[in-house]
């Protein structure tokens, strides 16, 4: 079963990291990512841009575009991972590995009810059947 692991953090803290601090964190996260890819458990993963650059589409018809997300939370959704795990416990274990690399983040683990691999991103190669 596929699970989404949603990574939350206080955006102001993340943005305050120096380039060296950010690079060190990404090095540790990529160690976990590389292991999960080698195990065939990691699907798409993304680090999201700043919430200040986000918009929300809501309302009837064509909807209205509003500046930014409006969640009343201390942490913001800053990234996500799609993993292929046999159980929720295994997905939690994977999230714990990610937390090892980024111990101040909060991870939400949620089952994915429908997973449709999409077209590759512009400039990226299409995923092979083995990686999906």
């Amino acid at each position: 079963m596929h699970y989404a692991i949603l990574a939350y953090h206080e955006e102001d803290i993340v943005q305050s990291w120096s380039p060296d601090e950010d690079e060190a964190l990404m090095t540790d996260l990529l160690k976990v990512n590389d292991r999960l890819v080698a195990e065939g458990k990691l699907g798409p993963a993304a680090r999201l841009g700043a919430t200040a650059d986000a918009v929300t589409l809501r309302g009837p018809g064509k909807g209205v575009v509003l500046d930014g997300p409006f969640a009343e939370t201390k942490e913001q959704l800053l990234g996500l991972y799609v993993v292929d795990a046999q159980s929720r416990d295994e997905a939690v274990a994977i999230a714990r590995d990610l937390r090892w690399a980024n111990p101040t983040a909060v991870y939400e683990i949620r089952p994915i009810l429908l997973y449709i691999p999409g077209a590759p991103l512009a400039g990226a190669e299409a995923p092979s059947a083995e990686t999906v």
Side-chain angles (χ1 to χ4, degrees):
M1 172 170 230
H2 288 98
Y3 288 85
I5 299 177
L6 307 174
Y8 292 86
H9 208 297
E10 291 183 51
E11 191 171 43
D12 291 340
I13 291 173
V14 172
Q15 291 175 343
S16 74
W17 293 338
S18 71
D20 289 342
E21 290 171 320
D22 190 64
E23 185 177 333
L25 173 83
M26 290 308 298
T27 297
D28 287 342
L29 283 173
L30 289 173
K31 288 177 188 173
V32 176
N33 289 6
D34 290 346
R35 180 181 54 79
L36 294 171
V37 167
E39 293 172 359
K41 298 206 175 285
L42 183 64
R47 185 176 192 182
L48 302 177
T51 57
D53 296 331
V55 296
T56 299
L57 176 66
R58 65 172 55 200
K62 290 183 178 182
V64 176
V65 176
L66 306 168
D67 288 339
F70 290 100
E72 295 292 328
T73 64
K74 190 172 184 178
E75 296 95 7
Q76 291 78 36
L77 176 63
L78 299 183
L80 61 101
Y81 301 85
V82 174
V83 298
D84 187 8
Q86 295 299 313
S87 66
R88 184 178 71 176
D89 289 342
E90 183 182 5
V92 169
I94 291 169
R96 283 191 172 120
D97 288 342
L98 295 167
R99 188 167 165 78
W100 164 84
N102 189 1
T104 57
V106 174
Y107 293 95
E108 176 183 348
I109 298 92
R110 188 182 298 182
I112 295 175
L113 301 181
L114 176 64
Y115 177 76
I116 303 171
L121 295 173
E125 291 183 31
S128 67
E130 295 81 34
T131 60
V132 176

